[in-house]
């Protein structure tokens, strides 16, 4: 129930009084002419205060809209208040990656052989060497295994090794999240399928037949190094523990129903990748020994390699689909390139904040990771808008952002002729953020940031409710409606 939409008259009055003290706007005609047949009707445009009151959400706000050309702040609410940016953090991460690595940067995964090939056998070691690629999938490993087969290699006399030290291993992005949520991925120098395994089940008599696979389009080998069993219980649905470094899951049988599937996170991604590659190689006639781990960079000949898409393409998809693993990998890789402390997400996030302060003169930002999943990150609406403006209308960021279709108060499409909006969204429980650019009908260019957060409600959520916190969905919907009403106002007022 949205109690935030049912303020008393007294609380509404106090809200408006406080708003008047922290809000600024340019005096401008607040009307819009709308044709109705032969007549023309003047439609009033709601003021900032009216929108903030009508579509109020509980908690705090930090809102700024700025003219990109002049740097003039047109309207603001609590401009300097720092709030969690959620996935809008990925805007900073994109710039951090592109500016330090270059838009043409590629991640490379290699197979390195340390000996000659004789009678179809590699007379030495074979090493699967990760380069950190966040998008590496089962079919990419299959293409590399096919390359070995094409070279006539049918076996290895030495070891089959896996090397994953290109990036520091992070067991999870945010330790406050539930074990089974795929968006709280592990991070490694060798990642596979966004570090998730495909769990599928179907009814079999009184029980269930279950399988775990490294599912791709062409290849889908079964995974035995991760264990999953059903348990006769109702709650929790999923339970996880690590046994000698291997993932062990149990799932409540009563929750499975007739059948279904989902992706589960993998906490030992390098082992998962090695097992998957070995299984595909066997399918293609290449027999490999059980994998071992090495931390020594292998010497030898590159027998096969897989190059990722360009960083520009990777970050475009990261912003569109808001993938957390990709963001953490890009941020850690940029910190590594800068040869600064990047052994943890917190250290790398801190360095990203320092870099923003030096490069864009945005000095108030604090980041605990690169994805925004951890709610310890903070930035104000003012600093985010300054970052957007200083990157520039024609900078590398704007062309990568997702198109946002404006919606009305009933969340139905409500486009405005001549208006285009590109932005990044961000959502955590009782935290919602939107930041980007607006191009107005008159050609005026705006940068904006809208941050809302009810940190009291967020802090009250029990850990076992974080995946579906009571009231969070309706709160987020209210915040999104507020965002779109503000953007519509700005486009009409400043685009006339």
């Amino acid at each position: 129930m949205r109690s935030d939409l049912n303020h008393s008259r007294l609380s509404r009055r106090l809200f408006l009084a406080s708003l008047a003290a922290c809000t600024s706007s340019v005096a401008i005609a607040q009307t819009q002419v709308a044709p109705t047949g032969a007549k023309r009707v003047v439609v009033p445009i709601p003021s900032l205060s009216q929108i903030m009151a009508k579509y109020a959400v509980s908690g705090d706000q930090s809102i700024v809209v700025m003219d990109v050309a002049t740097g003039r702040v047109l309207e603001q609410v609590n401009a300097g208040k720092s709030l969690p940016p959620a996935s809008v953090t990925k805007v900073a991460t994109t710039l951090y990656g592109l500016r330090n690595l270059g838009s043409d940067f590629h991640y490379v995964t290699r197979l390195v052989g340390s000996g000659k090939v004789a009678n179809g056998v590699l007379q030495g070691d074979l090493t699967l060497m990760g380069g950190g690629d966040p998008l590496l999938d089962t079919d990419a490993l299959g293409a590399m295994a096919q390359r070995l087969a094409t070279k006539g290699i049918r076996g290895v006399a030495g070891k089959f090794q896996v090397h994953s030290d290109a990036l520091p291993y992070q067991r999870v992005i945010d330790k406050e999240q539930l074990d089974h949520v795929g968006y709280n991925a592990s991070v490694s120098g060798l990642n596979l399928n966004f570090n998730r395994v495909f769990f599928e089940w179907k009814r079999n008599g009184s029980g269930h037949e279950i399988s775990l696979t490294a599912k791709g389009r062409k290849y889908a080998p079964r995974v035995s190094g991760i264990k999953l069993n059903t348990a006769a219980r109702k709650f929790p649905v999923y339970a996880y523990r690590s046994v000698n470094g291997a993932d062990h899951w149990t799932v409540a049988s009563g929750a499975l129903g007739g059948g279904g599937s989902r992706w589960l996170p993998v906490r030992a991604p390098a082992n998962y990748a090695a097992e998957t590659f070995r299984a595909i190689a066997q399918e293609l006639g290449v027999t490999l020994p059980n994998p071992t781990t090495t931390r020594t960079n292998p010497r030898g000949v590159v027998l096969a390699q897989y190059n990722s898409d360009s960083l520009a393409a990777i970050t475009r998809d990261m912003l569109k689909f808001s993938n957390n693993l990709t963001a953490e990998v890009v941020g850690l890789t940029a910190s590594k390139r800068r040869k600064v402390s990047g052994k943890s997400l917190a250290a790398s996030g801190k360095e990203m904040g320092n870099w923003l302060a030096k490069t864009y003169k945005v000095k108030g930002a604090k980041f605990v990771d690169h994805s925004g999943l951890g709610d310890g990150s903070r930035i104000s609406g003012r600093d985010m808008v300054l970052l957007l403006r200083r990157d520039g209308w024609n900078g590398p960021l704007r062309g990568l952002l997702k198109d946002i279709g404006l919606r009305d108060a009933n969340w139905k499409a409500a486009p405005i002729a001549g208006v285009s909006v590109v932005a990044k969204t961000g959502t955590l429980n009782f935290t919602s953020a939107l930041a980007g650019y607006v191009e107005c009908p008159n050609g005026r260019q705006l940068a904006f940031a809208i941050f809302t957060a009810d940190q009291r409600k967020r802090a009250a959520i029990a850990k076992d409710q974080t995946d579906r916190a009571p009231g969070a969905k309706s709160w987020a919907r209210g915040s999104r409606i507020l965002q779109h009403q503000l953007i519509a106002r700005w486009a009409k007022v400043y685009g006339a």
Side-chain angles (χ1 to χ4, degrees):
M1 180 177 180
R2 291 194 54 198
S3 59
D4 50 288
L5 293 184
N6 295 289
H7 296 301
S8 68
R9 291 185 178 181
L10 177 60
S11 63
R12 179 68 60 83
R13 193 178 301 120
L14 290 172
F15 174 80
L16 291 174
S18 63
L19 183 66
C22 64
T23 304
S24 69
S25 62
V26 177
I28 192 167
Q30 307 291 294
T31 59
Q32 182 181 30
V33 177
T36 58
K39 298 181 179 179
R40 289 165 63 86
V41 178
V42 176
V43 179
I45 300 173
S47 69
L48 178 61
S49 296
Q50 288 172 330
I51 290 174
M52 293 298 296
K54 184 175 181 179
Y55 302 103
V57 292
S58 64
D60 300 311
Q61 307 85 32
S62 185
I63 300 168
V64 179
V65 61
M66 176 183 287
D67 186 297
V68 172
T70 66
R72 183 183 181 187
V73 173
L74 303 175
E75 294 183 355
Q76 62 179 341
V77 177
N78 297 325
K81 187 170 188 62
S82 292
L83 294 173
S87 280
V88 173
T89 298
K90 295 179 177 74
V91 167
T93 301
T94 296
L95 293 175
Y96 189 50
L98 292 175
R99 295 294 191 186
N100 287 288
L101 300 170
S103 60
D104 291 329
F105 175 84
H106 296 263
Y107 291 93
V108 182
T109 307
R110 296 180 174 90
L111 282 172
V112 180
S114 64
K116 295 182 179 180
V117 178
N119 298 320
V121 177
L122 177 66
Q123 304 299 310
D125 299 331
L126 178 69
T127 303
L128 175 60
M129 189 171 183
D133 186 352
L135 305 184
L136 188 73
D137 62 12
T138 294
D139 291 337
L141 290 184
M144 296 176 72
Q146 182 65 59
R147 183 66 174 159
L148 279 189
T150 301
K151 288 178 177 288
I153 297 174
R154 293 291 178 263
V156 174
K159 301 174 184 176
F160 171 43
Q161 302 180 132
V162 59
H163 185 282
S164 61
D165 283 357
L167 295 175
Y169 170 73
Q170 313 289 309
R171 183 185 172 277
V172 293
I173 297 172
D174 179 21
K175 64 182 181 180
E176 299 302 319
Q177 304 290 328
L178 296 171
D179 286 322
H180 68 275
V181 293
Y183 53 76
N184 190 29
S186 295
V187 184
S188 170
L190 180 56
N191 308 292
L192 181 66
N193 298 330
F194 297 109
N195 294 338
R196 301 175 305 169
V197 64
F198 191 68
F199 166 39
E200 194 169 16
W201 65 93
K202 61 182 179 180
R203 178 73 69 180
N204 184 5
S206 60
H208 290 86
E209 181 181 334
I210 61 176
S211 66
L212 294 174
T213 58
K215 186 177 178 62
R217 290 185 177 89
K218 185 174 182 180
Y219 301 97
R222 285 185 173 266
V223 176
S224 60
I226 299 171
K227 307 300 181 183
L228 188 146
N229 294 292
T230 59
R233 64 169 187 259
K234 291 184 178 180
F235 300 103
V237 175
Y238 294 94
Y240 170 84
R241 61 194 179 105
S242 178
V243 180
N244 298 323
D247 295 345
H248 282 235
W249 292 92
T250 59
V251 58
S253 57
L256 294 180
S261 63
R262 66 162 294 158
W263 292 88
L264 286 173
V266 172
R267 299 303 177 202
N271 294 344
Y272 171 52
E275 180 187 353
T276 299
F277 180 81
R278 181 172 181 262
I280 297 173
Q282 183 68 47
E283 183 180 336
L284 295 172
V286 182
T287 301
L288 300 176
N290 289 327
T292 60
T293 300
T294 181
R295 303 198 69 179
T296 303
N297 286 336
R299 293 184 179 181
V301 177
V302 176
L303 299 174
Q305 73 178 43
Y306 181 82
N307 296 343
S308 74
D309 288 339
S310 69
L311 187 60
I314 289 172
T315 51
R316 178 181 289 108
D317 283 350
M318 178 187 77
L319 292 169
K320 180 178 180 180
F321 300 109
S322 207
N323 185 268
N324 293 331
L325 171 64
T326 303
E328 304 303 349
V329 166
V330 169
L332 286 170
T333 307
S335 290
K336 180 181 179 180
R337 175 64 62 88
R338 289 172 52 76
K339 298 181 180 179
V340 296
S341 176
K343 293 184 179 180
S344 70
L345 295 181
S348 188
K350 181 179 180 181
E351 178 56 31
M352 183 170 76
N354 294 337
W355 177 83
L356 286 177
K358 293 176 183 177
T359 306
Y360 291 96
K361 311 304 179 187
V362 174
K363 299 182 179 180
K366 171 191 173 185
F367 299 104
V368 298
D369 56 32
H370 298 287
S371 65
L373 186 59
D375 69 356
S377 295
R378 295 289 185 273
I379 191 170
S380 68
R382 177 175 57 208
D383 282 345
M384 179 55 69
V385 166
L386 286 173
L387 175 60
L388 293 171
R389 182 188 180 244
R390 287 168 181 168
D391 185 59
W393 187 260
N394 296 315
L397 176 65
R398 189 175 66 89
L400 301 177
L401 291 171
K402 182 180 177 180
D403 290 329
I404 302 293
L406 290 176
R407 293 180 175 272
D408 64 17
N410 295 314
W411 207 241
K412 296 190 178 194
I416 301 173
V419 175
S420 65
V421 182
V422 294
K424 180 71 190 83
T425 60
T427 304
L428 296 171
N429 287 327
F430 296 106
T431 298
S432 183
L434 186 68
Y437 301 93
V438 180
E439 185 167 18
C440 297
N442 61 359
R444 197 169 190 180
Q445 300 163 350
L446 309 178
F448 71 91
I450 306 169
F451 295 153
T452 54
D454 191 326
Q455 297 175 86
R456 180 185 59 81
K457 287 184 178 179
R458 180 169 173 79
I461 300 169
K463 185 171 182 177
D464 62 359
Q465 292 182 320
T466 54
D467 205 22
R468 294 182 180 180
K473 186 176 181 179
S474 61
W475 186 94
R477 178 181 172 85
S479 184
R480 289 193 294 270
I481 290 171
L482 171 64
Q483 292 164 0
H484 283 241
Q485 298 307 303
L486 287 170
I487 295 171
R489 167 186 160 74
W490 297 332
K492 294 171 184 176
V493 171
Y494 301 107

Coordinates of all heavy atoms in Angstrom, one line a residue, residues 140-170:
A140 N 31.5 -19.5 -27.1 CA 32.8 -18.9 -27.4 C 33.9 -20.0 -27.0 O 34.9 -20.2 -27.7 CB 33.0 -17.6 -26.6
L141 N 33.7 -20.6 -25.8 CA 34.6 -21.7 -25.5 C 34.6 -22.8 -26.5 O 35.6 -23.4 -26.9 CB 34.3 -22.3 -24.1 CG 34.5 -21.4 -22.9 CD1 34.2 -22.1 -21.6 CD2 36.0 -20.8 -22.9
G142 N 33.4 -23.1 -27.0 CA 33.2 -24.1 -28.1 C 34.0 -23.8 -29.3 O 34.7 -24.7 -29.9
A143 N 34.0 -22.5 -29.7 CA 34.8 -22.1 -30.9 C 36.3 -22.3 -30.7 O 37.0 -22.6 -31.6 CB 34.5 -20.6 -31.2
M144 N 36.7 -22.0 -29.4 CA 38.1 -22.2 -29.1 C 38.5 -23.7 -29.1 O 39.6 -24.1 -29.6 CB 38.5 -21.6 -27.8 CG 38.3 -20.1 -27.7 SD 38.6 -19.4 -26.1 CE 40.3 -19.5 -25.9
A145 N 37.6 -24.5 -28.6 CA 37.9 -26.0 -28.6 C 37.9 -26.5 -30.1 O 38.7 -27.4 -30.4 CB 36.8 -26.7 -27.8
Q146 N 37.0 -26.0 -30.9 CA 37.0 -26.4 -32.3 C 38.3 -26.0 -33.0 O 38.8 -26.7 -33.8 CB 35.8 -25.7 -33.0 CG 35.6 -26.0 -34.5 CD 35.3 -27.5 -34.7 OE1 34.3 -28.0 -34.2 NE2 36.1 -28.2 -35.4
R147 N 38.9 -24.9 -32.6 CA 40.1 -24.5 -33.2 C 41.2 -25.5 -32.8 O 42.1 -25.8 -33.7 CB 40.5 -23.1 -32.6 CG 41.8 -22.5 -33.2 CD 41.7 -22.2 -34.6 NE 42.9 -21.5 -35.2 CZ 43.2 -21.5 -36.4 NH1 42.5 -22.1 -37.3 NH2 44.3 -20.9 -36.8
L148 N 41.2 -26.0 -31.6 CA 42.2 -27.0 -31.2 C 42.0 -28.3 -32.1 O 43.0 -28.8 -32.6 CB 42.0 -27.4 -29.8 CG 42.6 -26.6 -28.7 CD1 42.5 -27.3 -27.3 CD2 44.1 -26.3 -28.9
A149 N 40.8 -28.7 -32.3 CA 40.5 -29.9 -33.1 C 40.9 -29.7 -34.5 O 41.4 -30.6 -35.2 CB 39.0 -30.2 -33.0
T150 N 40.7 -28.5 -35.0 CA 41.1 -28.1 -36.4 C 42.6 -28.2 -36.6 O 43.1 -28.6 -37.7 CB 40.6 -26.7 -36.8 OG1 39.2 -26.7 -36.7 CG2 41.0 -26.4 -38.2
K151 N 43.3 -27.9 -35.5 CA 44.8 -28.0 -35.6 C 45.3 -29.5 -35.5 O 46.5 -29.8 -35.5 CB 45.4 -27.2 -34.5 CG 45.3 -25.7 -34.7 CD 46.0 -25.0 -33.5 CE 45.9 -23.4 -33.8 NZ 46.9 -23.0 -34.8
G152 N 44.3 -30.4 -35.3 CA 44.7 -31.8 -35.2 C 45.1 -32.3 -33.8 O 45.6 -33.4 -33.7
I153 N 44.9 -31.5 -32.8 CA 45.2 -31.8 -31.5 C 44.1 -32.7 -30.9 O 42.9 -32.4 -30.9 CB 45.4 -30.6 -30.6 CG1 46.6 -29.7 -31.1 CG2 45.6 -30.9 -29.1 CD1 46.8 -28.4 -30.4
R154 N 44.5 -33.9 -30.4 CA 43.6 -34.8 -29.8 C 43.8 -35.1 -28.3 O 43.0 -35.8 -27.7 CB 43.7 -36.1 -30.6 CG 43.2 -36.0 -32.1 CD 41.7 -35.7 -32.1 NE 41.2 -35.6 -33.4 CZ 41.0 -34.4 -34.0 NH1 41.3 -33.3 -33.3 NH2 40.5 -34.3 -35.2
G155 N 44.9 -34.6 -27.8 CA 45.2 -34.8 -26.4 C 46.3 -34.0 -25.9 O 47.0 -33.2 -26.7
V156 N 46.6 -34.1 -24.6 CA 47.6 -33.2 -24.0 C 48.5 -34.2 -23.1 O 47.9 -34.9 -22.2 CB 47.0 -32.1 -23.1 CG1 48.1 -31.4 -22.3 CG2 46.3 -31.1 -24.0
A157 N 49.8 -34.1 -23.2 CA 50.7 -35.0 -22.4 C 50.9 -34.4 -21.0 O 51.1 -35.1 -20.1 CB 52.0 -35.1 -23.1
G158 N 50.8 -33.1 -20.9 CA 51.0 -32.4 -19.7 C 49.7 -32.1 -18.9 O 48.8 -32.9 -18.9
K159 N 49.7 -30.9 -18.3 CA 48.5 -30.5 -17.5 C 47.5 -29.7 -18.4 O 47.9 -29.1 -19.4 CB 49.0 -29.7 -16.4 CG 50.0 -30.3 -15.4 CD 50.4 -29.3 -14.4 CE 51.5 -29.9 -13.4 NZ 52.0 -28.9 -12.5
F160 N 46.3 -29.8 -18.0 CA 45.3 -28.8 -18.4 C 45.1 -27.8 -17.3 O 44.6 -28.2 -16.2 CB 44.0 -29.5 -18.8 CG 42.9 -28.5 -19.1 CD1 43.1 -27.3 -19.9 CD2 41.6 -28.7 -18.6 CE1 42.1 -26.4 -20.1 CE2 40.6 -27.8 -18.9 CZ 40.8 -26.7 -19.6
Q161 N 45.5 -26.6 -17.5 CA 45.5 -25.6 -16.5 C 44.5 -24.4 -16.8 O 44.2 -24.2 -17.9 CB 46.9 -24.9 -16.3 CG 48.0 -25.9 -16.0 CD 49.4 -25.3 -15.9 OE1 50.1 -25.5 -15.0 NE2 49.7 -24.4 -16.9
V162 N 44.1 -23.8 -15.7 CA 43.2 -22.6 -15.9 C 43.8 -21.5 -15.1 O 44.3 -21.6 -14.0 CB 41.8 -22.9 -15.4 CG1 41.8 -23.4 -13.9 CG2 40.9 -21.8 -15.6
H163 N 43.9 -20.3 -15.8 CA 44.5 -19.1 -15.2 C 43.4 -18.0 -15.2 O 42.9 -17.7 -16.2 CB 45.7 -18.7 -16.0 CG 46.4 -17.5 -15.5 ND1 46.0 -16.2 -15.6 CD2 47.6 -17.5 -14.8 CE1 46.9 -15.4 -15.0 NE2 47.9 -16.1 -14.5
S164 N 43.2 -17.5 -14.0 CA 42.1 -16.5 -13.9 C 42.5 -15.2 -13.1 O 41.6 -14.5 -12.5 CB 40.9 -17.1 -13.2 OG 41.2 -17.5 -11.8
D165 N 43.8 -14.9 -13.1 CA 44.3 -13.8 -12.3 C 44.3 -12.5 -13.1 O 44.9 -11.5 -12.6 CB 45.7 -14.1 -11.8 CG 45.6 -15.1 -10.6 OD1 44.5 -15.4 -10.2 OD2 46.7 -15.5 -10.1
A166 N 43.7 -12.4 -14.2 CA 43.7 -11.1 -14.9 C 43.0 -10.1 -14.1 O 43.3 -8.9 -14.2 CB 42.9 -11.3 -16.3
L167 N 42.0 -10.5 -13.3 CA 41.3 -9.6 -12.4 C 41.2 -10.2 -11.0 O 41.2 -11.5 -10.9 CB 39.9 -9.2 -12.9 CG 39.8 -8.5 -14.2 CD1 38.3 -8.4 -14.6 CD2 40.4 -7.1 -14.1
P168 N 41.2 -9.5 -9.9 CA 41.1 -10.0 -8.6 C 39.7 -10.7 -8.4 O 38.7 -10.1 -8.7 CB 41.3 -8.9 -7.7 CG 40.9 -7.7 -8.5 CD 41.3 -8.0 -9.9
Y169 N 39.7 -11.9 -7.8 CA 38.4 -12.6 -7.6 C 37.6 -11.9 -6.5 O 38.1 -11.5 -5.5 CB 38.7 -14.0 -7.2 CG 37.6 -14.8 -6.7 CD1 36.6 -15.3 -7.6 CD2 37.4 -15.1 -5.3 CE1 35.5 -16.0 -7.1 CE2 36.3 -15.8 -4.9 CZ 35.3 -16.3 -5.8 OH 34.2 -16.9 -5.3
Q170 N 36.3 -11.8 -6.8 CA 35.4 -11.2 -5.8 C 34.2 -12.2 -5.7 O 33.5 -12.5 -6.7 CB 34.8 -9.9 -6.3 CG 35.8 -8.9 -6.8 CD 36.7 -8.3 -5.7 OE1 36.2 -7.9 -4.7 NE2 38.0 -8.4 -5.9

